[in-house]
């Protein structure tokens, strides 16, 4: 129920361009997946923690099916390069593992193209 409510609130935050609210919702979602459903891993939680510790990060959470996998973070564009460098260093220092990080930008969803 709480995730459904967050999803509706996230849709509104996205429509309004409210990154602060969207980040808070992402954090709450990850925490729920970690604490209420136990579908994260220590390594994934560490990645989210490293991301959240960066000033440019609005919020971070796991993504995908759970039990490991990937994290996604909403990051201030101007701080993205420094964010990626700091997160990689944090994660490697804490786990001994070298992460693969990808910088992505939001884009319009699927649409029909006309010739």
């Amino acid at each position: 129920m709480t995730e459904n409510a967050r999803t509706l609130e996230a849709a509104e935050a996205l429509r309004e361009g409210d990154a602060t609210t969207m980040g808070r919702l992402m954090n709450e979602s990850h925490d729920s997946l970690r604490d209420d459903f136990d579908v994260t891993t220590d390594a994934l939680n560490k990645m989210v923690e490293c991301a959240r510790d960066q000033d440019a990060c609005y919020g971070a959470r796991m993504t995908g099916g759970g039990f490991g996998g990937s994290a996604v973070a909403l990051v201030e564009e101007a701080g993205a390069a420094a964010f990626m460098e700091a997160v990689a260093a944090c994660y490697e220092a804490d786990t001994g593992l070298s992460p693969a990080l990808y910088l992505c930008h939001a884009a319009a969803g699927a649409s029909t193209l006309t010739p």
Side-chain angles (χ1 to χ4, degrees):
M1 299 277 301
T2 57
E3 189 66 9
N4 289 342
R6 273 191 292 275
T7 301
L8 295 173
E9 193 175 348
E12 184 63 26
L14 290 171
R15 277 191 291 278
E16 294 178 5
D18 184 350
T20 300
T21 296
M22 186 64 201
R24 175 183 56 80
L25 294 167
M26 290 174 70
N27 289 340
E28 290 174 4
S29 179
H30 181 84
D31 294 349
S32 175
L33 290 163
R34 181 193 63 215
D35 301 338
D36 298 335
F37 297 98
D38 198 25
V39 295
T40 64
T41 64
D42 291 341
L44 183 54
N45 292 332
K46 177 50 69 177
M47 180 61 74
V48 168
E49 180 184 314
C50 288
R52 289 180 181 177
D53 285 345
Q54 307 311 310
D55 290 338
C57 184
Y58 291 103
R61 59 161 287 174
M62 66 159 283
T63 189
F67 306 108
S70 298
V72 62
L74 181 60
V75 178
E76 190 176 277
E77 187 171 5
F83 167 85
M84 291 181 63
E85 189 174 308
V87 169
C90 171
Y91 188 79
E92 192 163 349
D94 288 354
T95 67
L97 301 171
S98 181
L101 302 176
Y102 305 95
L103 179 60
C104 304
H105 293 89
S111 62
T112 302
L113 299 177
T114 55

